[in-house]
Amino acid sequence: MLTNQHSSRSLALAILLGLATVGAAIIAGFLVGSSAKLVGLAIVAVGIVFYFFTKFEQAVLVLLILRSSLDVFSDLQIPAVFAIGLDVLTLLYVIVSLLTGHIVRTDRFWWFLAGWVLLQGLWLILLPLGALGLDASYLPASIREWVRLFSWVMVYLLVMQLKDRLPPQKVISSLFLALLLPIAIGLLQIFQASDRIVGTFGTANTFATFLLLFISLVFWKLNGTQQRWFWLMLLGLLCFFFVSTKTLFSLMMIAVFVLVLITPRLNVAKLISGMLLLGLIIALFASTEFGQQRLASITQTPLLNPDIDISKAILLSQGDSNSFNWRLSQWYLLLNAWKQSPIFGYGLGLSIPVAGNGLLPHNDYIRALVEGGIIGLVSFLALFAAQFTHLLLLIQQTPYGSKQRNLCFILLAMLTSIPVGMITENIWSHTTLFFYWWTLLAVAGWNWNEQQIREDMTFK
């Protein structure tokens, strides 16, 4: 009975793929007279779809690994094309699964995330209606931002389809391959004596948060592994590149991460290890001339200088190169603009035109306030509150000392550091960080015990 059902599903899938191929061939026939490039793209698209459906697990892992290498091609819009392509493949897979009677796997948090992104579509409706601070001419920019958020929902959904097909630890271990090209390019930049290492990313800041996420995964791997030297060496390598990004906000993020990590099981050994790691990172950062200048610049801000108030810092920002004083000026500018449209703001992804200087706010809370108003800021905070709640529930539901519980706690420490970094950085725009974040959050919610039982039964 099961064999016949499986055969019928396979036949239905083969028919759908065949129809898709025939349809693509017909379209290619119409396009051949107009553009050879379009024909080539159609052929590549058919090949990708065929590979995706015939080698699904492998194809998903390849897509996950590939994402970290694409930001270097941002000028060619490759990351955007990749995101749209992944969205299409995921939706196509869901449709085929429903038509063939397969289960489409989700969890409660995915439904919350999907609902949250759907809610953000409200601002796409309000903008052309004239209910926001800008007019409908900015709608394309808002649509691009919404599609970016929607792609995160699709990543989560796609990874959920690997549940019961691949061991969760294998999926996470595969993600470390995403480090290869960024690290290789980073080494090349070091040999070229670049001021700040960016890897395959557009800025050092995005590379720093990407590295911090994988530093957290190395900590997870170090728990109960017999290959401690390998993971300790990788940790040292990632910390070296982390410092080479020369980003000041990242020091605060890793400090919070380590603090949260060691607090629940605080003992002398963990305290010393955590302090040594932080001390080493800060010492490496301060050992460079650029790092010394960044640290010294803090003394010329209201944070450490009582003779400088916020008003004076804003005035100083017009003549000095102090990035923190500049941030105060940018925040002051945007908050004054927000007062003109306080409830619903100006629209998704429109903080740059609101600022008028071509720059993001460098504070994600102000960005949420300006783009979405008070309603948008509340929904932004609700998203992070939901993630905290989700991880805490998973920690309570998983066995003490299990790898799943340890992963959830590592992710909780990472999640705690992200809002801290958002105070002075545009982390919400770090698309690659969240691409892998939602991947890990999806895997963390799997039932690892059931997965282990299935693996044991398979080997028996």
Side-chain angles (χ1 to χ4, degrees):
M1 182 72 178
L2 290 174
T3 303
N4 292 336
Q5 187 178 13
H6 178 72
S7 299
S8 63
R9 288 176 177 176
S10 299
L11 178 61
L13 178 59
I15 292 172
L16 285 170
L17 287 173
L19 290 173
T21 304
V22 171
I26 294 172
I27 293 172
F30 284 108
L31 295 175
V32 71
S34 59
S35 174
K37 290 183 179 180
L38 291 177
V39 175
L41 288 174
I43 294 173
V44 170
V46 170
I48 291 174
V49 171
F50 181 79
Y51 171 65
F52 182 79
F53 277 95
T54 55
K55 301 287 184 180
F56 178 72
E57 295 89 349
Q58 186 184 90
V60 173
L61 291 180
V62 168
L63 289 172
L64 295 177
I65 294 167
L66 186 63
R67 180 60 187 87
S68 64
S69 305
L70 300 181
D71 281 2
V72 70
F73 304 109
S74 294
D75 291 343
L76 301 175
Q77 300 299 313
I78 297 300
V81 172
F82 176 87
I84 294 173
L86 186 141
D87 293 349
V88 171
L89 285 173
T90 303
L91 291 172
L92 185 60
Y93 180 84
V94 169
I95 293 171
V96 170
S97 295
L98 293 174
L99 291 176
T100 56
H102 286 77
I103 297 174
V104 177
R105 300 192 178 278
T106 60
D107 61 14
R108 284 182 299 178
F109 186 81
W110 180 84
W111 285 103
F112 174 85
L113 181 61
W116 186 87
V117 171
L118 184 64
L119 174 64
Q120 305 310 301
L122 173 66
W123 278 264
L124 300 183
I125 298 173
L126 293 176
L127 186 60
L129 293 177
L132 304 181
L134 292 173
D135 57 50
S137 64
Y138 293 93
L139 184 60
S142 281
I143 292 175
R144 283 195 297 270
E145 176 65 10
W146 188 87
V147 171
R148 186 177 76 97
L149 302 179
F150 178 74
S151 69
W152 296 348
V153 178
M154 292 295 100
V155 169
Y156 196 116
L157 181 62
L158 184 62
V159 173
M160 284 299 299
Q161 307 320 303
L162 296 178
K163 183 180 178 182
D164 299 330
R165 294 186 176 205
L166 291 177
Q169 296 181 52
K170 180 179 180 180
V171 175
I172 297 173
S173 296
S174 299
L175 295 182
F176 281 97
L177 295 175
L179 287 168
L180 291 178
L181 191 57
I183 292 298
I185 299 299
L187 283 172
L188 182 62
Q189 291 165 356
I190 288 175
F191 292 142
Q192 294 174 342
S194 301
D195 290 336
R196 301 177 72 182
I197 306 305
V198 301
T200 54
F201 296 83
T203 66
N205 293 358
T206 52
F207 191 29
T209 53
F210 170 79
L211 288 171
L212 181 56
L213 181 63
F214 277 89
I215 287 172
S216 71
L217 290 183
V218 172
F219 272 100
W220 176 69
K221 280 288 188 179
L222 280 168
N223 248 327
T225 184
Q226 296 179 347
Q227 300 175 327
R228 292 186 65 85
W229 281 110
F230 171 79
W231 294 108
L232 284 171
M233 289 172 61
L234 181 58
L235 178 62
L237 179 65
L238 294 182
C239 287
F240 171 74
F241 280 101
F242 184 75
V243 173
S244 298
T245 61
K246 299 177 181 177
T247 54
L248 198 55
F249 79 93
S250 65
L251 296 182
M252 290 300 301
M253 289 185 67
I254 198 168
V256 171
F257 169 77
V258 172
L259 180 63
V260 174
L261 199 62
I262 66 175
T263 297
R265 302 176 183 176
L266 188 60
N267 56 45
V268 175
K270 288 185 179 293
L271 180 62
I272 293 175
S273 299
M275 295 303 294
L276 283 175
L277 177 63
L278 284 178
L280 178 62
I281 290 175
I282 294 173
L284 287 173
F285 186 85
S287 65
T288 64
E289 183 180 352
F290 182 86
Q292 293 169 7
Q293 292 175 354
R294 295 300 300 273
L295 292 173
S297 67
I298 302 178
T299 62
Q300 299 303 314
T301 69
L303 286 175
L304 297 179
N305 193 330
D307 295 328
I308 300 178
D309 58 15
I310 294 178
S311 300
K312 186 175 181 180
I314 293 172
L315 291 174
L316 289 173
S317 68
Q318 300 174 7
D320 63 14
S321 57
N322 191 306
S323 62
F324 187 81
N325 288 339
W326 174 86
R327 281 171 167 79
L328 290 175
S329 177
Q330 183 80 342
W331 302 342
Y332 179 77
L333 170 69
L334 287 167
L335 287 174
N336 280 335
W338 161 73
K339 294 176 183 178
Q340 307 302 316
S341 185
I343 305 301
F344 289 102
Y346 288 84
L348 290 180
L350 299 182
S351 55
I352 290 180
V354 172
N357 55 14
L359 297 169
L360 285 166
H362 287 71
N363 181 307
D364 285 325
Y365 305 105
I366 292 178
R367 175 177 180 172
L369 187 64
V370 170
E371 295 184 359
I374 295 173
I375 304 298
L377 177 61
V378 170
S379 71
F380 183 74
L381 297 175
L383 176 63
F384 280 89
Q387 293 176 74
F388 275 106
T389 303
H390 178 61
L391 286 172
L392 288 173
L393 288 174
L394 287 176
I395 290 172
Q396 292 176 355
Q397 295 166 4
T398 50
Y400 184 83
S402 65
K403 292 187 176 180
Q404 183 180 11
R405 183 188 178 99
N406 290 336
L407 176 64
C408 291
F409 189 73
I410 290 286
L411 294 180
L412 185 66
M414 181 68 196
L415 180 62
T416 306
S417 72
I418 290 176
V420 174
M422 285 180 164
I423 297 172
T424 60
E425 174 54 23
N426 307 303
I427 292 182
W428 191 241
S429 65
H430 295 189
T431 305
T432 308
L433 166 68
F434 285 103
F435 181 92
Y436 290 105
W437 171 257
W438 298 122
T439 297
L440 292 167
L441 205 62
V443 175
W446 295 0
N447 191 328
W448 291 34
N449 292 330
E450 288 185 6
Q451 182 72 44
Q452 186 62 51
I453 291 172
R454 291 188 184 91
E455 291 173 36
D456 293 340
M457 293 177 62
T458 301
F459 284 113
K460 288 179 181 179

